[in-house]
PDB file of all heavy atoms in Angstrom:
ATOM      1  N   VAL A 254      -4.058  -0.682  -3.559  1.00 97.00           N
ATOM      2  CA  VAL A 254      -2.604  -0.908  -3.616  1.00 97.00           C
ATOM      3  C   VAL A 254      -2.342  -1.217  -5.135  1.00 97.00           C
ATOM      4  O   VAL A 254      -2.840  -2.185  -5.635  1.00 97.00           O
ATOM      5  CB  VAL A 254      -2.091  -2.089  -2.861  1.00 97.00           C
ATOM      6  CG1 VAL A 254      -0.599  -2.295  -2.916  1.00 97.00           C
ATOM      7  CG2 VAL A 254      -2.532  -1.897  -1.360  1.00 97.00           C
ATOM      8  N   PRO A 296       0.463  -1.100   3.259  1.00 97.00           N
ATOM      9  CA  PRO A 296      -1.002  -1.488   3.019  1.00 97.00           C
ATOM     10  C   PRO A 296      -1.503  -2.437   4.143  1.00 97.00           C
ATOM     11  O   PRO A 296      -2.643  -2.978   4.082  1.00 97.00           O
ATOM     12  CB  PRO A 296      -0.885  -2.298   1.735  1.00 97.00           C
ATOM     13  CG  PRO A 296       0.504  -2.772   1.683  1.00 97.00           C
ATOM     14  CD  PRO A 296       1.319  -1.740   2.337  1.00 97.00           C
ATOM     15  N   PHE A 297      -0.753  -2.618   5.268  1.00 95.00           N
ATOM     16  CA  PHE A 297      -1.194  -3.371   6.450  1.00 95.00           C
ATOM     17  C   PHE A 297      -0.655  -2.844   7.686  1.00 95.00           C
ATOM     18  O   PHE A 297       0.037  -1.854   7.613  1.00 95.00           O
ATOM     19  CB  PHE A 297      -0.821  -4.900   6.256  1.00 95.00           C
ATOM     20  CG  PHE A 297       0.566  -5.163   5.713  1.00 95.00           C
ATOM     21  CD1 PHE A 297       1.648  -5.060   6.459  1.00 95.00           C
ATOM     22  CD2 PHE A 297       0.756  -5.241   4.384  1.00 95.00           C
ATOM     23  CE1 PHE A 297       2.942  -5.198   6.058  1.00 95.00           C
ATOM     24  CE2 PHE A 297       2.039  -5.469   3.808  1.00 95.00           C
ATOM     25  CZ  PHE A 297       3.083  -5.435   4.645  1.00 95.00           C
ATOM     26  N   VAL A 307      -6.213  -4.820  -4.136  1.00 97.00           N
ATOM     27  CA  VAL A 307      -4.906  -4.942  -4.774  1.00 97.00           C
ATOM     28  C   VAL A 307      -5.102  -4.981  -6.247  1.00 97.00           C
ATOM     29  O   VAL A 307      -5.854  -5.768  -6.825  1.00 97.00           O
ATOM     30  CB  VAL A 307      -4.014  -6.132  -4.181  1.00 97.00           C
ATOM     31  CG1 VAL A 307      -2.819  -6.349  -5.032  1.00 97.00           C
ATOM     32  CG2 VAL A 307      -3.744  -5.950  -2.688  1.00 97.00           C
ATOM     33  N   LEU A 311      -0.033  -6.001 -10.427  1.00 96.00           N
ATOM     34  CA  LEU A 311       1.112  -6.428  -9.641  1.00 96.00           C
ATOM     35  C   LEU A 311       1.434  -7.898  -9.698  1.00 96.00           C
ATOM     36  O   LEU A 311       2.581  -8.330  -9.499  1.00 96.00           O
ATOM     37  CB  LEU A 311       0.823  -6.094  -8.168  1.00 96.00           C
ATOM     38  CG  LEU A 311       0.913  -4.643  -7.739  1.00 96.00           C
ATOM     39  CD1 LEU A 311       0.358  -4.327  -6.370  1.00 96.00           C
ATOM     40  CD2 LEU A 311       2.363  -4.113  -7.773  1.00 96.00           C
ATOM     41  N   VAL A 317       7.216  -7.650  -5.317  1.00 97.00           N
ATOM     42  CA  VAL A 317       6.837  -6.279  -5.266  1.00 97.00           C
ATOM     43  C   VAL A 317       7.277  -5.686  -3.951  1.00 97.00           C
ATOM     44  O   VAL A 317       7.570  -6.470  -2.979  1.00 97.00           O
ATOM     45  CB  VAL A 317       5.304  -6.128  -5.504  1.00 97.00           C
ATOM     46  CG1 VAL A 317       4.877  -6.563  -6.914  1.00 97.00           C
ATOM     47  CG2 VAL A 317       4.496  -6.706  -4.429  1.00 97.00           C
ATOM     48  N   THR A 319       6.415  -2.916  -0.928  1.00 96.00           N
ATOM     49  CA  THR A 319       5.563  -1.927  -0.332  1.00 96.00           C
ATOM     50  C   THR A 319       6.328  -1.064   0.607  1.00 96.00           C
ATOM     51  O   THR A 319       7.390  -1.405   0.989  1.00 96.00           O
ATOM     52  CB  THR A 319       4.462  -2.663   0.534  1.00 96.00           C
ATOM     53  OG1 THR A 319       5.066  -3.139   1.637  1.00 96.00           O
ATOM     54  CG2 THR A 319       3.699  -3.691  -0.297  1.00 96.00           C
ATOM     55  N   VAL A 330       7.798  -8.416  -0.918  1.00 97.00           N
ATOM     56  CA  VAL A 330       6.776  -9.498  -0.839  1.00 97.00           C
ATOM     57  C   VAL A 330       6.336 -10.048  -2.220  1.00 97.00           C
ATOM     58  O   VAL A 330       6.460  -9.379  -3.179  1.00 97.00           O
ATOM     59  CB  VAL A 330       5.436  -9.062  -0.080  1.00 97.00           C
ATOM     60  CG1 VAL A 330       5.736  -8.695   1.381  1.00 97.00           C
ATOM     61  CG2 VAL A 330       4.730  -7.950  -0.718  1.00 97.00           C
ATOM     62  N   SER A 331       5.868 -11.297  -2.221  1.00 97.00           N
ATOM     63  CA  SER A 331       5.240 -11.852  -3.467  1.00 97.00           C
ATOM     64  C   SER A 331       3.809 -11.333  -3.541  1.00 97.00           C
ATOM     65  O   SER A 331       3.240 -10.872  -2.535  1.00 97.00           O
ATOM     66  CB  SER A 331       5.344 -13.359  -3.441  1.00 97.00           C
ATOM     67  OG  SER A 331       4.390 -13.838  -2.446  1.00 97.00           O
ATOM     68  N   PHE A 332       3.234 -11.422  -4.711  1.00 97.00           N
ATOM     69  CA  PHE A 332       1.820 -11.047  -4.910  1.00 97.00           C
ATOM     70  C   PHE A 332       0.936 -11.819  -3.955  1.00 97.00           C
ATOM     71  O   PHE A 332       0.076 -11.279  -3.265  1.00 97.00           O
ATOM     72  CB  PHE A 332       1.416 -11.324  -6.352  1.00 97.00           C
ATOM     73  CG  PHE A 332      -0.010 -10.767  -6.656  1.00 97.00           C
ATOM     74  CD1 PHE A 332      -0.265  -9.427  -6.811  1.00 97.00           C
ATOM     75  CD2 PHE A 332      -0.999 -11.704  -6.816  1.00 97.00           C
ATOM     76  CE1 PHE A 332      -1.487  -8.905  -7.102  1.00 97.00           C
ATOM     77  CE2 PHE A 332      -2.266 -11.199  -7.084  1.00 97.00           C
ATOM     78  CZ  PHE A 332      -2.547  -9.802  -7.266  1.00 97.00           C
ATOM     79  N   ARG A 333       1.165 -13.146  -3.838  1.00 96.00           N
ATOM     80  CA  ARG A 333       0.397 -14.028  -2.913  1.00 96.00           C
ATOM     81  C   ARG A 333       0.540 -13.564  -1.488  1.00 96.00           C
ATOM     82  O   ARG A 333      -0.468 -13.468  -0.694  1.00 96.00           O
ATOM     83  CB  ARG A 333       0.909 -15.501  -3.088  1.00 96.00           C
ATOM     84  CG  ARG A 333       0.129 -16.417  -2.202  1.00 96.00           C
ATOM     85  CD  ARG A 333      -1.129 -16.971  -2.771  1.00 96.00           C
ATOM     86  NE  ARG A 333      -2.200 -16.340  -2.084  1.00 96.00           N
ATOM     87  CZ  ARG A 333      -3.399 -16.003  -2.589  1.00 96.00           C
ATOM     88  NH1 ARG A 333      -3.627 -16.321  -3.867  1.00 96.00           N
ATOM     89  NH2 ARG A 333      -4.331 -15.440  -1.924  1.00 96.00           N
ATOM     90  N   GLN A 334       1.708 -13.222  -1.009  1.00 96.00           N
ATOM     91  CA  GLN A 334       1.974 -12.752   0.341  1.00 96.00           C
ATOM     92  C   GLN A 334       1.270 -11.443   0.574  1.00 96.00           C
ATOM     93  O   GLN A 334       0.623 -11.252   1.677  1.00 96.00           O
ATOM     94  CB  GLN A 334       3.435 -12.546   0.607  1.00 96.00           C
ATOM     95  CG  GLN A 334       4.262 -13.824   0.804  1.00 96.00           C
ATOM     96  CD  GLN A 334       5.709 -13.609   0.963  1.00 96.00           C
ATOM     97  OE1 GLN A 334       6.249 -12.807   0.125  1.00 96.00           O
ATOM     98  NE2 GLN A 334       6.440 -14.160   1.966  1.00 96.00           N
ATOM     99  N   LEU A 335       1.261 -10.590  -0.403  1.00 97.00           N
ATOM    100  CA  LEU A 335       0.582  -9.331  -0.297  1.00 97.00           C
ATOM    101  C   LEU A 335      -0.935  -9.494  -0.120  1.00 97.00           C
ATOM    102  O   LEU A 335      -1.537  -8.874   0.811  1.00 97.00           O
ATOM    103  CB  LEU A 335       0.765  -8.448  -1.573  1.00 97.00           C
ATOM    104  CG  LEU A 335       0.122  -7.064  -1.595  1.00 97.00           C
ATOM    105  CD1 LEU A 335       0.691  -6.202  -0.426  1.00 97.00           C
ATOM    106  CD2 LEU A 335       0.452  -6.342  -2.888  1.00 97.00           C
ATOM    107  N   LEU A 336      -1.533 -10.442  -0.838  1.00 97.00           N
ATOM    108  CA  LEU A 336      -2.927 -10.725  -0.603  1.00 97.00           C
ATOM    109  C   LEU A 336      -3.128 -11.394   0.723  1.00 97.00           C
ATOM    110  O   LEU A 336      -4.122 -11.026   1.422  1.00 97.00           O
ATOM    111  CB  LEU A 336      -3.424 -11.722  -1.709  1.00 97.00           C
ATOM    112  CG  LEU A 336      -3.457 -11.139  -3.145  1.00 97.00           C
ATOM    113  CD1 LEU A 336      -3.988 -12.154  -4.173  1.00 97.00           C
ATOM    114  CD2 LEU A 336      -4.216  -9.815  -3.299  1.00 97.00           C
ATOM    115  N   ASP A 337      -2.376 -12.334   1.107  1.00 95.00           N
ATOM    116  CA  ASP A 337      -2.514 -13.011   2.424  1.00 95.00           C
ATOM    117  C   ASP A 337      -2.402 -11.999   3.664  1.00 95.00           C
ATOM    118  O   ASP A 337      -3.256 -12.076   4.531  1.00 95.00           O
ATOM    119  CB  ASP A 337      -1.486 -14.115   2.593  1.00 95.00           C
ATOM    120  CG  ASP A 337      -1.766 -15.308   1.713  1.00 95.00           C
ATOM    121  OD1 ASP A 337      -2.828 -15.395   1.030  1.00 95.00           O
ATOM    122  OD2 ASP A 337      -0.831 -16.134   1.518  1.00 95.00           O
ATOM    123  N   ILE A 338      -1.432 -11.137   3.556  1.00 95.00           N
ATOM    124  CA  ILE A 338      -1.173 -10.181   4.608  1.00 95.00           C
ATOM    125  C   ILE A 338      -2.255  -9.081   4.697  1.00 95.00           C
ATOM    126  O   ILE A 338      -2.695  -8.749   5.812  1.00 95.00           O
ATOM    127  CB  ILE A 338       0.191  -9.549   4.530  1.00 95.00           C
ATOM    128  CG1 ILE A 338       1.298 -10.615   4.681  1.00 95.00           C
ATOM    129  CG2 ILE A 338       0.392  -8.428   5.595  1.00 95.00           C
ATOM    130  CD1 ILE A 338       2.721 -10.117   4.275  1.00 95.00           C
ATOM    131  N   THR A 339      -2.765  -8.606   3.527  1.00 95.00           N
ATOM    132  CA  THR A 339      -3.755  -7.571   3.549  1.00 95.00           C
ATOM    133  C   THR A 339      -5.177  -8.082   3.640  1.00 95.00           C
ATOM    134  O   THR A 339      -6.086  -7.315   3.950  1.00 95.00           O
ATOM    135  CB  THR A 339      -3.625  -6.680   2.294  1.00 95.00           C
ATOM    136  OG1 THR A 339      -3.802  -7.471   1.132  1.00 95.00           O
ATOM    137  CG2 THR A 339      -2.259  -5.979   2.168  1.00 95.00           C
ATOM    138  N   GLY A 340      -5.337  -9.306   3.203  1.00 95.00           N
ATOM    139  CA  GLY A 340      -6.759  -9.859   3.140  1.00 95.00           C
ATOM    140  C   GLY A 340      -7.464  -9.158   1.920  1.00 95.00           C
ATOM    141  O   GLY A 340      -8.727  -8.998   2.011  1.00 95.00           O
TER     142      GLY A 340
END
Side-chain angles (χ1 to χ4, degrees):
V254 183
F297 42 83
V307 171
L311 285 167
V317 296
T319 71
V330 294
S331 69
F332 185 76
R333 177 84 256 149
Q334 285 174 314
L335 181 60
L336 295 182
D337 290 347
I338 295 169
T339 60

